[in-house]
Amino acid sequence: MRAIWKGAVSFGLVNVPVRLYSATENHDVQFRQVHREDGGRIKYQRVCSIDGEQVSYDDIAKGYETPDGQMVVLTDEDLADLPISTTKEIAVDKFVPADQIDPLYLDKCYYLEPDKSAIKPYALLREALSSTDRMALVTVSLRTRMTVAVLRVRDDVIVLQTLLWPDEVRPAEFGVLDEEPAEPNKKEVQMAHLLVESMAGDYEPEDYTDDYEEAVKAVVQAKLEGGEVATPPEAADDDGQVIDLLAALQQSVDRAKKKRGEKTG
């Protein structure tokens, strides 16, 4: 891995020099737009919507469109004068209970690697986070933008995970939930609990694979080898019948038990 940032974590009077690494990578299948006849890549020209003229890169600027449709052109000089912080410090503001951080706010994730001379204070911070079940709320400047993040521990490594700003999380506004709720009865709740227990288990990431990616790669390989591409069978359509909730839960429990080799009933 290649470090994308170097700096230091500071909490109290303790300073821990670290390097930052991306903790995740995108493996989504990427397609190119090509000419159907010969496979040539499609190119796009940069054309002005007003005069129709092709525009060179040197004549392209950044524009900010206001809510009422006005366009404000910003130059490199305008952006260079912004009061942004470029400090190389991950400053701990406070240590907060881990359950106070809504997972919905968690964004990009990075690993923190300590310098060889800072292994002990790094381990100290890691132990403090783990033993107190808290996260460190920090501010950090990444790619010229100051952002809020948290430090947490994963497999003996301190992880920095940026947080979304409050206005970036949409409210869940569904009118149907404001109506009079149809409360499940006692038997349905008991059966739902039984279903949860019958399907209980541990999360093993290796148990799940990206079926779409594998299917696309298989099609590509078949075409490369000059073979025929088989069309997968279509899933059977649901007959649309509405099943009683309690009966559906019972069937689910029986199915889960049968899968485990347990008696049903």
Side-chain angles (χ1 to χ4, degrees), residues 4-9 85-90 140-141:
I4 63 173
W5 185 93
K6 292 181 67 176
V9 178
S85 173
T86 57
T87 178
K88 292 294 185 179
E89 180 184 39
I90 301 173
V140 59
S141 179

Side-chain angles (χ1 to χ4, degrees), residues 9-168:
V9 178
S10 64
F11 60 106
L13 299 178
V14 181
N15 192 273
V16 188
V18 294
R19 287 176 293 276
L20 203 69
Y21 299 85
S22 293
T24 60
E25 54 187 357
N26 192 336
H27 284 171
D28 284 350
V29 175
Q30 302 293 324
F31 294 107
R32 303 279 189 181
Q33 287 190 322
V34 298
H35 187 196
R36 188 189 302 275
E37 299 299 325
D38 55 20
R41 293 186 182 182
I42 302 299
K43 295 183 178 180
Y44 292 92
Q45 294 180 333
R46 300 171 298 279
V47 177
C48 177
S49 62
I50 296 178
D51 58 24
E53 297 293 329
Q54 187 171 345
V55 182
S56 66
Y57 276 116
D58 293 339
D59 292 328
I60 295 178
K62 293 181 174 65
Y64 180 89
E65 187 172 3
T66 62
D68 59 0
Q70 297 185 76
M71 187 66 69
V72 180
V73 178
L74 299 173
T75 66
D76 292 339
E77 290 74 17
D78 294 328
L79 299 178
D81 293 335
L82 292 177
I84 55 178
S85 173
T86 57
T87 178
K88 292 294 185 179
E89 180 184 39
I90 301 173
V92 176
D93 180 42
K94 62 181 72 173
F95 293 94
V96 300
D99 58 7
Q100 285 188 2
I101 304 297
D102 188 335
L104 198 60
Y105 284 85
L106 297 175
D107 196 19
K108 296 181 180 178
C109 198
Y110 305 89
Y111 291 132
L112 292 184
E113 178 193 33
D115 283 351
K116 290 184 178 180
S117 61
I119 294 178
K120 188 172 183 178
Y122 181 94
L124 176 64
L125 176 58
R126 181 183 62 198
E127 173 60 26
L129 292 172
S130 298
S131 60
T132 60
D133 194 25
R134 289 179 178 267
M135 294 185 184
L137 196 62
V138 305
T139 53
V140 59
S141 179
L142 296 176
R143 297 183 177 89
T144 72
R145 292 192 62 179
M146 184 64 73
T147 186
V148 180
V150 293
L151 301 182
R152 57 187 181 85
V153 179
R154 181 182 187 273
D155 296 337
D156 293 332
V157 176
I158 297 177
V159 171
L160 181 144
Q161 193 151 10
T162 59
L163 299 179
L164 297 172
W165 298 107
D167 60 357
E168 292 180 311

Side-chain angles (χ1 to χ4, degrees), residues 200-246:
D202 296 321
Y203 171 55
E204 300 292 344
E206 299 79 11
D207 292 344
Y208 300 89
T209 57
D210 187 345
D211 293 341
Y212 178 77
E213 180 183 8
E214 292 182 354
V216 170
K217 288 182 177 180
V219 170
V220 171
Q221 186 62 33
K223 284 183 172 290
L224 288 173
E225 296 175 354
E228 295 295 326
V229 179
T231 303
E234 295 183 0
D237 292 333
D238 194 314
D239 59 9
Q241 181 180 2
V242 179
I243 302 176
D244 176 72
L245 176 59
L246 188 60

